[in-house]
Amino acid sequence: MRSRPSPHPSGSDDAALTAAVLVDAAGQALVVATSAANDNSGVSAAQLRVLGVVAQAGSINLTQLAIALHTAPSSASRLCDRLEAADLLRRTADDRDRREVWLVLTPTARKLLDNLGRQRQETIAAVLRRMSPDDRAALMQGLSAFARASGLPVAEDAAGTAAQAQAS
């Protein structure tokens, strides 16, 4: 049985897989390190996901939310019902088309997400403080490159903070 030649230059496939294993392990460590904040929020992981999607969108309709969650609209609607009852989500009718309903975060939800974000960042910072300055700088450079390669936007203030930290 003949093996197919690799479409990648020699070794690049192995290096990418090794890096993927390390990134996956780091991702798991981040989940473990930050889950305590989420667990103590009184909101389920699925509900936090809804809040995160709505926060990122600013406002979103139920169909778009269901697509973003990869779930049925009826399941997304039930999640929204619970979030609305908890004063974390508000449904608002579109001014131009009353049949269209938009989902927006309440001030309570924004405060919750801000607090959770701050708690996660504090937990992650505690781990990062145990790293040497050179290791932190290398990690920040690698994470910046990863974010650029993924095509996901990197917050301006995070990029500026990373550059300042690397310089110090």
Side-chain angles (χ1 to χ4, degrees), residues 103-122:
L103 306 167
V104 294
L105 296 181
T106 65
T108 303
R110 290 185 196 289
K111 184 176 178 182
L112 172 71
L113 292 176
D114 288 346
N115 287 339
L116 288 174
R118 208 169 9 267
Q119 289 173 15
R120 285 191 309 267
Q121 291 165 6
E122 289 170 5

Side-chain angles (χ1 to χ4, degrees), residues 11-30:
S12 68
D13 232 9
D14 290 341
L17 285 174
T18 299
V21 168
L22 293 172
V23 169
D24 184 48
Q28 290 178 24
L30 285 170

Side-chain angles (χ1 to χ4, degrees), residues 20-163:
V21 168
L22 293 172
V23 169
D24 184 48
Q28 290 178 24
L30 285 170
V31 168
V32 168
T34 61
S35 65
N38 293 349
D39 290 347
N40 294 328
S41 71
V43 180
S44 73
Q47 291 169 334
L48 282 174
R49 176 79 174 115
V50 169
L51 295 176
V53 169
V54 175
Q56 188 173 24
S59 66
I60 191 169
N61 69 28
L62 191 61
T63 301
Q64 293 168 337
L65 177 64
I67 290 168
L69 297 174
H70 305 286
T71 191
S74 59
S75 297
S77 182
R78 284 190 297 276
L79 282 167
C80 292
D81 290 343
R82 289 190 288 276
L83 289 167
E84 193 171 30
D87 190 37
L88 296 172
L89 194 67
R90 190 175 67 241
R91 290 178 166 108
T92 61
D94 190 303
D95 292 336
R96 294 168 291 180
D97 181 356
R98 303 288 293 170
R99 295 171 296 172
E100 186 77 51
V101 175
W102 292 94
L103 306 167
V104 294
L105 296 181
T106 65
T108 303
R110 290 185 196 289
K111 184 176 178 182
L112 172 71
L113 292 176
D114 288 346
N115 287 339
L116 288 174
R118 208 169 9 267
Q119 289 173 15
R120 285 191 309 267
Q121 291 165 6
E122 289 170 5
T123 301
I124 293 166
V127 172
L128 293 172
R129 285 185 198 100
R130 294 193 296 260
M131 296 172 64
S132 73
D134 288 345
D135 285 347
R136 273 195 310 271
L139 175 65
M140 288 169 34
Q141 183 177 3
L143 289 173
S144 294
F146 183 84
R148 285 190 305 275
S150 74
L152 295 175
V154 177
E156 287 285 325
D157 58 341
T161 303

Side-chain angles (χ1 to χ4, degrees), residues 2-17:
R2 290 176 37 175
S3 65
R4 287 189 283 154
S6 172
H8 305 285
S10 178
S12 68
D13 232 9
D14 290 341
L17 285 174

